[in-house]
Amino acid sequence: MKRLFIGLLASLLVGASSAFAQDFLTIGTGGVTGVYYPVGGATAKIVNDADVGLRLTVESTGGSVFNIKAMQAGQLDLALAQSDVVYQAFNSQEAFDGDGVDQLRTVMGLHPEPLHLVCDASAGVSTFSDIAGKRVNIGNPGSGIRNTVLAVMDKFGFDPDSDIVAESVRAAEAPDLLRDGRIDCFFYTVGIGGAAIQDISTTNDIVLVPLEGAEFEALVDEFPYYAFATVPGGTYNGVDEDVTIFGVKALFTTTTDLDEETVYTIVSSVLANLEDFQATHPALRNLTPESFIQGLGAPLHPGAERAYAEAGMM
Ligand code: GLU
């Protein structure tokens, strides 16, 4: 929640001559073994270190749908979220049917989030359709993962209640279930090189299933928020070839409740420290100026627009 902290007492204590004001803002992210959490942390560090009167903190959450609903309820100021979820929230679709978030705005377009389908090699899964009859984690309610997986299942005519044995745990817990042999596969829409997948790839013989072909191409053609990404060979232990995977894009979002100057300050701080920002996670390494302003799902916040215009990006 946005809190205006008047540091009158603090300034008296340190003997400063005048009061100072600082805005405290919370960023909703995802699980600590995902990419949103470190990316939110990197953003917070850059803005806090810039000493521009803002204090950003990150919160680990259940993911995109939770984050947008929490912003809608005024419990988060900023959030990472998937392009499909942002689009659907802004346009009152799917999980936001009848409860759209008109005030939702994009701050920064970030990294691709391929829909990783990670299976134990013993499960014998090499295409999406092979998950029929398997025990598969489709993500917790509130995750963006579940949102994307259910849309894909629908496209394939799969019923999650009968065609697979669906688990609904958080992405951070899924690798342990796979390790214990309690599931065959898990889905995770996450930036390339996410820790949860790297970790399991070092202890288990895993398969990263390619998600390409007619059904996926039709989804990408039909909806503006889907895209293909290539996971380079060597990203995960034992996955030596490049893998083409259908997925979404990560967006940094807020609402119109946050003022123009604040959003401008956040974006311009990140742009001024772009190399540091990109160095914080492999998923950010290939960001281009276009990444920030394309595939956004909801209109740009005016403060972000101002920062991009000033940087000559628009
Ligand atoms: N895309 C995931 C979700 O919305 C979170 C990914 C991450 O934490 O990096 O559920």
Side-chain angles (χ1 to χ4, degrees):
M1 209 164 303
K2 187 173 177 183
R3 288 175 294 258
L4 189 66
F5 175 67
I6 307 297
L8 191 55
L9 180 62
S11 56
L12 286 175
L13 289 173
V14 299
S17 55
S18 64
F20 62 88
Q22 200 159 40
D23 275 349
F24 286 81
L25 302 171
T26 307
I27 309 169
T29 60
V32 295
T33 55
V35 175
Y36 288 1
Y37 188 75
V39 166
T43 309
K45 183 168 182 346
I46 285 171
V47 174
N48 295 345
D49 287 353
D51 211 10
V52 283
L54 295 174
R55 286 315 285 181
L56 305 190
T57 54
V58 290
E59 208 171 279
S60 172
T61 73
S64 294
V65 174
F66 173 90
N67 287 348
I68 304 285
K69 294 203 173 204
M71 280 203 301
Q72 188 179 25
Q75 292 156 353
L76 290 171
D77 305 293
L78 296 144
L80 278 297
Q82 295 181 186
S83 49
D84 52 347
V85 175
V86 171
Y87 183 96
Q88 290 160 3
F90 185 72
N91 293 289
S92 311
Q93 297 171 359
E94 306 297 329
F96 298 87
D97 191 9
D99 192 23
V101 192
D102 295 344
Q103 67 276 29
L104 188 59
R105 294 292 179 273
T106 303
V107 177
M108 301 185 275
L110 295 176
H111 53 281
E113 296 193 271
L115 177 59
H116 291 72
L117 170 55
V118 178
C119 298
D120 195 90
S122 65
V125 174
S126 57
T127 69
F128 181 85
S129 302
D130 293 341
I131 63 170
K134 303 289 182 194
R135 299 162 302 166
V136 183
N137 189 48
I138 62 172
N140 55 294
S143 68
I145 309 163
R146 192 180 183 91
N147 196 69
T148 311
V149 171
L150 293 179
V152 172
M153 287 207 167
D154 189 55
K155 185 76 186 170
F156 276 77
F158 271 44
D159 181 345
D161 295 325
S162 56
D163 291 328
I164 61 168
V165 181
E167 283 289 345
S168 301
V169 304
R170 289 187 178 214
E173 295 160 35
D176 282 337
L177 293 191
L178 193 77
R179 212 170 269 128
D180 294 347
R182 289 163 59 198
I183 54 173
D184 301 300
C185 305
F186 64 83
F187 282 104
Y188 199 176
T189 34
V190 70
I192 295 168
I197 301 171
Q198 290 214 316
D199 290 352
I200 186 77
S201 77
T202 61
T203 60
N204 284 49
D205 200 1
I206 61 150
V207 173
L208 180 62
V209 179
L211 300 185
E212 53 182 346
E215 288 86 352
F216 292 107
E217 273 159 33
L219 284 169
V220 171
D221 285 347
E222 191 176 346
F223 300 102
Y225 42 76
Y226 293 135
F228 288 103
T230 302
V231 176
T235 302
Y236 306 110
N237 203 37
V239 183
D240 301 328
E241 305 292 325
D242 290 1
V243 185
T244 301
I245 302 186
F246 162 90
V248 293
K249 172 172 172 153
L251 305 175
F252 202 99
T253 65
T254 189
T255 68
T256 49
D257 288 349
L258 206 56
D259 62 280
E260 180 181 330
E261 192 60 29
T262 299
V263 176
Y264 168 79
T265 303
I266 293 171
V267 175
S268 40
S269 302
V270 170
L271 293 179
N273 294 279
L274 198 52
E275 278 181 24
D276 290 346
F277 182 64
Q278 289 187 259
T280 56
H281 200 284
L284 299 178
R285 224 166 266 157
N286 296 323
L287 288 188
T288 61
E290 291 73 44
S291 318
F292 283 84
I293 53 170
Q294 284 176 0
L296 302 183
L300 270 179
H301 191 284
E305 219 169 275
R306 194 173 123 207
Y308 297 131
E310 202 168 88
M313 289 162 64
M314 306 196 63

Short mmCIF file of all heavy atoms in Angstrom, two decimals, residues 64-110:
data_model
loop_
_atom_site.label_atom_id
_atom_site.label_comp_id
_atom_site.label_asym_id
_atom_site.label_seq_id
_atom_site.Cartn_x
_atom_site.Cartn_y
_atom_site.Cartn_z
N SER A 64 0.80 -14.00 -11.15
CA SER A 64 0.18 -12.92 -11.92
C SER A 64 -1.26 -12.58 -11.55
O SER A 64 -1.60 -11.41 -11.38
CB SER A 64 0.19 -13.28 -13.41
OG SER A 64 1.49 -13.34 -13.90
N VAL A 65 -2.13 -13.57 -11.50
CA VAL A 65 -3.55 -13.28 -11.27
C VAL A 65 -3.72 -12.71 -9.86
O VAL A 65 -4.40 -11.69 -9.65
CB VAL A 65 -4.43 -14.54 -11.49
CG1 VAL A 65 -5.87 -14.27 -11.11
CG2 VAL A 65 -4.33 -15.00 -12.95
N PHE A 66 -3.03 -13.34 -8.91
CA PHE A 66 -3.05 -12.81 -7.54
C PHE A 66 -2.57 -11.36 -7.54
O PHE A 66 -3.19 -10.48 -6.92
CB PHE A 66 -2.15 -13.66 -6.62
CG PHE A 66 -2.01 -13.05 -5.25
CD1 PHE A 66 -2.89 -13.37 -4.23
CD2 PHE A 66 -1.01 -12.10 -5.00
CE1 PHE A 66 -2.78 -12.76 -2.98
CE2 PHE A 66 -0.90 -11.48 -3.76
CZ PHE A 66 -1.78 -11.82 -2.75
N ASN A 67 -1.46 -11.09 -8.23
CA ASN A 67 -0.86 -9.74 -8.20
C ASN A 67 -1.81 -8.67 -8.72
O ASN A 67 -1.95 -7.60 -8.14
CB ASN A 67 0.42 -9.72 -9.05
CG ASN A 67 1.57 -10.46 -8.39
OD1 ASN A 67 1.50 -10.80 -7.22
ND2 ASN A 67 2.62 -10.71 -9.15
N ILE A 68 -2.46 -8.98 -9.86
CA ILE A 68 -3.35 -7.97 -10.44
C ILE A 68 -4.56 -7.75 -9.53
O ILE A 68 -4.99 -6.61 -9.32
CB ILE A 68 -3.81 -8.39 -11.86
CG1 ILE A 68 -2.61 -8.67 -12.77
CG2 ILE A 68 -4.75 -7.34 -12.46
CD1 ILE A 68 -1.88 -7.47 -13.28
N LYS A 69 -5.08 -8.84 -8.96
CA LYS A 69 -6.23 -8.68 -8.07
C LYS A 69 -5.83 -7.90 -6.81
O LYS A 69 -6.60 -7.09 -6.29
CB LYS A 69 -6.82 -10.04 -7.71
CG LYS A 69 -7.42 -10.69 -8.96
CD LYS A 69 -8.49 -11.73 -8.68
CE LYS A 69 -9.08 -12.12 -10.01
NZ LYS A 69 -10.37 -12.65 -10.08
N ALA A 70 -4.62 -8.14 -6.34
CA ALA A 70 -4.15 -7.42 -5.14
C ALA A 70 -3.95 -5.93 -5.46
O ALA A 70 -4.24 -5.07 -4.62
CB ALA A 70 -2.86 -8.04 -4.61
N MET A 71 -3.48 -5.62 -6.68
CA MET A 71 -3.37 -4.20 -7.05
C MET A 71 -4.74 -3.56 -7.13
O MET A 71 -4.96 -2.43 -6.70
CB MET A 71 -2.63 -4.03 -8.39
CG MET A 71 -1.13 -4.13 -8.26
SD MET A 71 -0.25 -3.31 -9.61
CE MET A 71 -0.87 -4.17 -11.02
N GLN A 72 -5.67 -4.34 -7.72
CA GLN A 72 -7.05 -3.86 -7.87
C GLN A 72 -7.64 -3.52 -6.49
O GLN A 72 -8.38 -2.56 -6.35
CB GLN A 72 -7.87 -4.97 -8.55
CG GLN A 72 -9.26 -4.61 -8.96
CD GLN A 72 -9.96 -5.80 -9.63
OE1 GLN A 72 -9.61 -6.96 -9.39
NE2 GLN A 72 -10.92 -5.52 -10.49
N ALA A 73 -7.27 -4.33 -5.49
CA ALA A 73 -7.79 -4.13 -4.14
C ALA A 73 -6.96 -3.12 -3.35
O ALA A 73 -7.22 -2.89 -2.16
CB ALA A 73 -7.81 -5.48 -3.40
N GLY A 74 -5.94 -2.54 -3.98
CA GLY A 74 -5.12 -1.53 -3.30
C GLY A 74 -4.10 -2.11 -2.34
O GLY A 74 -3.55 -1.40 -1.51
N GLN A 75 -3.81 -3.43 -2.46
CA GLN A 75 -2.86 -4.05 -1.52
C GLN A 75 -1.44 -4.11 -2.06
O GLN A 75 -0.51 -4.47 -1.33
CB GLN A 75 -3.35 -5.47 -1.17
CG GLN A 75 -4.61 -5.45 -0.36
CD GLN A 75 -5.42 -6.72 -0.49
OE1 GLN A 75 -5.10 -7.59 -1.30
NE2 GLN A 75 -6.47 -6.83 0.29
N LEU A 76 -1.26 -3.85 -3.34
CA LEU A 76 0.07 -3.77 -3.94
C LEU A 76 0.08 -2.51 -4.80
O LEU A 76 -0.97 -2.13 -5.34
CB LEU A 76 0.36 -4.97 -4.84
CG LEU A 76 0.58 -6.35 -4.21
CD1 LEU A 76 0.62 -7.42 -5.29
CD2 LEU A 76 1.86 -6.38 -3.38
N ASP A 77 1.25 -1.90 -4.96
CA ASP A 77 1.34 -0.69 -5.79
C ASP A 77 1.80 -1.01 -7.20
O ASP A 77 1.46 -0.32 -8.16
CB ASP A 77 2.35 0.28 -5.17
CG ASP A 77 1.99 0.58 -3.74
OD1 ASP A 77 0.96 1.22 -3.53
OD2 ASP A 77 2.74 0.14 -2.84
N LEU A 78 2.67 -2.00 -7.30
CA LEU A 78 3.28 -2.38 -8.57
C LEU A 78 3.32 -3.90 -8.59
O LEU A 78 3.30 -4.54 -7.54
CB LEU A 78 4.71 -1.85 -8.64
CG LEU A 78 4.88 -0.34 -8.64
CD1 LEU A 78 6.13 0.06 -7.85
CD2 LEU A 78 4.97 0.19 -10.06
N ALA A 79 3.40 -4.49 -9.79
CA ALA A 79 3.46 -5.96 -9.82
C ALA A 79 4.02 -6.45 -11.14
O ALA A 79 3.84 -5.82 -12.18
CB ALA A 79 2.07 -6.56 -9.61
N LEU A 80 4.67 -7.59 -11.06
CA LEU A 80 5.04 -8.31 -12.27
C LEU A 80 3.84 -9.18 -12.65
O LEU A 80 3.17 -9.71 -11.78
CB LEU A 80 6.24 -9.22 -11.98
CG LEU A 80 7.66 -8.65 -12.01
CD1 LEU A 80 8.01 -8.16 -13.40
CD2 LEU A 80 7.87 -7.55 -11.01
N ALA A 81 3.59 -9.30 -13.94
CA ALA A 81 2.48 -10.15 -14.37
C ALA A 81 2.67 -10.54 -15.83
O ALA A 81 3.35 -9.85 -16.59
CB ALA A 81 1.15 -9.44 -14.19
N GLN A 82 2.06 -11.64 -16.19
CA GLN A 82 2.15 -12.16 -17.56
C GLN A 82 1.29 -11.33 -18.52
O GLN A 82 0.21 -10.87 -18.17
CB GLN A 82 1.63 -13.60 -17.60
CG GLN A 82 2.47 -14.56 -16.81
CD GLN A 82 1.95 -15.98 -16.88
OE1 GLN A 82 2.49 -16.83 -16.20
NE2 GLN A 82 0.93 -16.27 -17.68
N SER A 83 1.76 -11.26 -19.77
CA SER A 83 1.03 -10.50 -20.79
C SER A 83 -0.40 -10.99 -21.00
O SER A 83 -1.30 -10.18 -21.22
CB SER A 83 1.80 -10.56 -22.12
OG SER A 83 2.17 -11.89 -22.43
N ASP A 84 -0.64 -12.31 -20.93
CA ASP A 84 -2.01 -12.80 -21.14
C ASP A 84 -2.92 -12.35 -20.01
O ASP A 84 -4.05 -11.90 -20.23
CB ASP A 84 -2.05 -14.34 -21.32
CG ASP A 84 -1.34 -15.12 -20.22
OD1 ASP A 84 -0.60 -14.51 -19.42
OD2 ASP A 84 -1.52 -16.36 -20.16
N VAL A 85 -2.41 -12.43 -18.79
CA VAL A 85 -3.21 -12.05 -17.62
C VAL A 85 -3.50 -10.54 -17.64
O VAL A 85 -4.62 -10.11 -17.36
CB VAL A 85 -2.48 -12.47 -16.32
CG1 VAL A 85 -3.23 -11.98 -15.09
CG2 VAL A 85 -2.30 -13.99 -16.28
N VAL A 86 -2.49 -9.74 -17.99
CA VAL A 86 -2.66 -8.29 -18.04
C VAL A 86 -3.72 -7.92 -19.09
O VAL A 86 -4.64 -7.15 -18.82
CB VAL A 86 -1.31 -7.59 -18.35
CG1 VAL A 86 -1.51 -6.10 -18.61
CG2 VAL A 86 -0.34 -7.80 -17.19
N TYR A 87 -3.59 -8.52 -20.25
CA TYR A 87 -4.56 -8.24 -21.32
C TYR A 87 -5.98 -8.61 -20.88
O TYR A 87 -6.94 -7.86 -21.06
CB TYR A 87 -4.16 -9.04 -22.57
CG TYR A 87 -5.04 -8.79 -23.78
CD1 TYR A 87 -4.67 -7.86 -24.75
CD2 TYR A 87 -6.24 -9.49 -23.94
CE1 TYR A 87 -5.48 -7.64 -25.85
CE2 TYR A 87 -7.05 -9.26 -25.05
CZ TYR A 87 -6.67 -8.34 -26.00
OH TYR A 87 -7.47 -8.12 -27.08
N GLN A 88 -6.10 -9.80 -20.30
CA GLN A 88 -7.43 -10.28 -19.89
C GLN A 88 -7.99 -9.43 -18.75
O GLN A 88 -9.19 -9.17 -18.70
CB GLN A 88 -7.34 -11.75 -19.49
CG GLN A 88 -7.10 -12.64 -20.70
CD GLN A 88 -6.55 -14.01 -20.37
OE1 GLN A 88 -6.37 -14.35 -19.20
NE2 GLN A 88 -6.27 -14.80 -21.39
N ALA A 89 -7.13 -8.98 -17.85
CA ALA A 89 -7.60 -8.13 -16.74
C ALA A 89 -8.08 -6.79 -17.29
O ALA A 89 -9.16 -6.31 -16.93
CB ALA A 89 -6.47 -7.91 -15.74
N PHE A 90 -7.31 -6.22 -18.19
CA PHE A 90 -7.68 -4.90 -18.75
C PHE A 90 -8.95 -5.00 -19.58
O PHE A 90 -9.76 -4.08 -19.60
CB PHE A 90 -6.51 -4.36 -19.60
CG PHE A 90 -6.77 -2.96 -20.11
CD1 PHE A 90 -6.74 -1.88 -19.24
CD2 PHE A 90 -7.05 -2.73 -21.44
CE1 PHE A 90 -6.98 -0.59 -19.68
CE2 PHE A 90 -7.30 -1.44 -21.91
CZ PHE A 90 -7.26 -0.37 -21.02
N ASN A 91 -9.13 -6.16 -20.25
CA ASN A 91 -10.29 -6.33 -21.14
C ASN A 91 -11.42 -7.16 -20.53
O ASN A 91 -12.31 -7.63 -21.25
CB ASN A 91 -9.82 -6.95 -22.46
CG ASN A 91 -8.92 -6.00 -23.25
OD1 ASN A 91 -9.39 -5.00 -23.78
ND2 ASN A 91 -7.64 -6.28 -23.28
N SER A 92 -11.39 -7.35 -19.23
CA SER A 92 -12.47 -8.07 -18.50
C SER A 92 -12.73 -9.47 -19.07
O SER A 92 -13.88 -9.83 -19.32
CB SER A 92 -13.77 -7.28 -18.51
OG SER A 92 -13.57 -5.96 -18.14
N GLN A 93 -11.68 -10.23 -19.26
CA GLN A 93 -11.84 -11.59 -19.80
C GLN A 93 -11.34 -12.64 -18.80
O GLN A 93 -10.61 -12.32 -17.88
CB GLN A 93 -11.06 -11.73 -21.11
CG GLN A 93 -11.54 -10.81 -22.22
CD GLN A 93 -10.60 -10.82 -23.42
OE1 GLN A 93 -9.59 -11.50 -23.43
NE2 GLN A 93 -10.94 -10.04 -24.44
N GLU A 94 -11.73 -13.87 -19.05
CA GLU A 94 -11.25 -15.04 -18.29
C GLU A 94 -11.39 -14.82 -16.78
O GLU A 94 -12.48 -14.59 -16.32
CB GLU A 94 -9.80 -15.38 -18.66
CG GLU A 94 -9.59 -15.59 -20.18
CD GLU A 94 -10.37 -16.77 -20.75
OE1 GLU A 94 -10.60 -17.77 -20.05
OE2 GLU A 94 -10.77 -16.70 -21.94
N ALA A 95 -10.28 -14.86 -16.03
CA ALA A 95 -10.35 -14.72 -14.57
C ALA A 95 -10.92 -13.37 -14.14
O ALA A 95 -11.29 -13.18 -12.99
CB ALA A 95 -8.96 -14.91 -13.96
N PHE A 96 -10.99 -12.43 -15.10
CA PHE A 96 -11.47 -11.07 -14.79
C PHE A 96 -12.78 -10.76 -15.49
O PHE A 96 -13.16 -9.60 -15.64
CB PHE A 96 -10.38 -10.05 -15.17
CG PHE A 96 -9.10 -10.24 -14.40
CD1 PHE A 96 -8.13 -11.13 -14.85
CD2 PHE A 96 -8.88 -9.57 -13.21
CE1 PHE A 96 -6.96 -11.33 -14.13
CE2 PHE A 96 -7.72 -9.77 -12.49
CZ PHE A 96 -6.75 -10.64 -12.96
N ASP A 97 -13.48 -11.80 -15.89
CA ASP A 97 -14.77 -11.66 -16.56
C ASP A 97 -15.73 -10.92 -15.61
O ASP A 97 -15.97 -11.38 -14.50
CB ASP A 97 -15.31 -13.06 -16.89
CG ASP A 97 -16.51 -12.97 -17.83
OD1 ASP A 97 -16.81 -11.87 -18.33
OD2 ASP A 97 -17.16 -14.02 -18.04
N GLY A 98 -16.23 -9.77 -16.05
CA GLY A 98 -17.16 -9.00 -15.22
C GLY A 98 -16.46 -8.21 -14.11
O GLY A 98 -17.12 -7.56 -13.30
N ASP A 99 -15.14 -8.29 -14.05
CA ASP A 99 -14.40 -7.63 -12.97
C ASP A 99 -13.08 -7.09 -13.52
O ASP A 99 -12.01 -7.34 -12.97
CB ASP A 99 -14.16 -8.64 -11.84
CG ASP A 99 -13.67 -7.96 -10.57
OD1 ASP A 99 -13.93 -6.76 -10.41
OD2 ASP A 99 -13.04 -8.65 -9.75
N GLY A 100 -13.18 -6.39 -14.64
CA GLY A 100 -11.98 -5.90 -15.32
C GLY A 100 -11.27 -4.82 -14.53
O GLY A 100 -11.84 -4.22 -13.62
N VAL A 101 -10.01 -4.59 -14.88
CA VAL A 101 -9.20 -3.60 -14.18
C VAL A 101 -8.85 -2.48 -15.17
O VAL A 101 -7.77 -2.44 -15.74
CB VAL A 101 -7.92 -4.24 -13.59
CG1 VAL A 101 -7.23 -3.29 -12.62
CG2 VAL A 101 -8.24 -5.56 -12.88
N ASP A 102 -9.82 -1.56 -15.35
CA ASP A 102 -9.65 -0.46 -16.32
C ASP A 102 -8.42 0.38 -16.03
O ASP A 102 -7.81 0.95 -16.92
CB ASP A 102 -10.84 0.53 -16.24
CG ASP A 102 -12.13 -0.11 -16.66
OD1 ASP A 102 -12.08 -1.18 -17.29
OD2 ASP A 102 -13.18 0.47 -16.33
N GLN A 103 -8.11 0.48 -14.75
CA GLN A 103 -7.02 1.39 -14.34
C GLN A 103 -5.64 0.73 -14.47
O GLN A 103 -4.63 1.34 -14.14
CB GLN A 103 -7.29 1.91 -12.92
CG GLN A 103 -7.23 0.91 -11.79
CD GLN A 103 -8.53 0.14 -11.57
OE1 GLN A 103 -9.32 -0.09 -12.49
NE2 GLN A 103 -8.74 -0.32 -10.35
N LEU A 104 -5.60 -0.52 -14.94
CA LEU A 104 -4.32 -1.23 -15.08
C LEU A 104 -3.44 -0.57 -16.16
O LEU A 104 -3.94 -0.21 -17.23
CB LEU A 104 -4.61 -2.69 -15.46
CG LEU A 104 -3.44 -3.66 -15.49
CD1 LEU A 104 -2.74 -3.75 -14.13
CD2 LEU A 104 -3.94 -5.06 -15.89
N ARG A 105 -2.15 -0.41 -15.87
CA ARG A 105 -1.22 0.20 -16.82
C ARG A 105 0.10 -0.58 -16.83
O ARG A 105 0.51 -1.10 -15.79
CB ARG A 105 -0.91 1.65 -16.45
CG ARG A 105 -2.10 2.59 -16.57
CD ARG A 105 -2.56 2.82 -18.01
NE ARG A 105 -3.72 3.70 -18.10
CZ ARG A 105 -4.99 3.30 -18.01
NH1 ARG A 105 -5.29 2.02 -17.82
NH2 ARG A 105 -5.97 4.18 -18.11
N THR A 106 0.74 -0.61 -18.00
CA THR A 106 2.06 -1.25 -18.08
C THR A 106 3.14 -0.20 -17.84
O THR A 106 3.02 0.95 -18.27
CB THR A 106 2.23 -1.91 -19.46
OG1 THR A 106 1.16 -2.85 -19.63
CG2 THR A 106 3.54 -2.67 -19.53
N VAL A 107 4.16 -0.63 -17.13
CA VAL A 107 5.30 0.24 -16.83
C VAL A 107 6.49 -0.14 -17.71
O VAL A 107 7.12 0.71 -18.32
CB VAL A 107 5.66 0.14 -15.32
CG1 VAL A 107 6.88 0.98 -15.00
CG2 VAL A 107 4.47 0.57 -14.46
N MET A 108 6.80 -1.46 -17.75
CA MET A 108 7.92 -1.93 -18.57
C MET A 108 7.58 -3.31 -19.14
O MET A 108 7.13 -4.18 -18.41
CB MET A 108 9.20 -2.10 -17.73
CG MET A 108 9.68 -0.85 -17.04
SD MET A 108 11.27 -1.12 -16.17
CE MET A 108 10.73 -1.77 -14.60
N GLY A 109 7.81 -3.48 -20.43
CA GLY A 109 7.76 -4.82 -21.01
C GLY A 109 9.11 -5.47 -20.71
O GLY A 109 10.15 -4.85 -20.89
N LEU A 110 9.08 -6.70 -20.23
CA LEU A 110 10.35 -7.33 -19.86
C LEU A 110 10.62 -8.61 -20.65
O LEU A 110 10.48 -8.63 -21.86
CB LEU A 110 10.40 -7.55 -18.33
CG LEU A 110 10.40 -6.25 -17.50
CD1 LEU A 110 10.34 -6.57 -16.02
CD2 LEU A 110 11.63 -5.40 -17.79
#
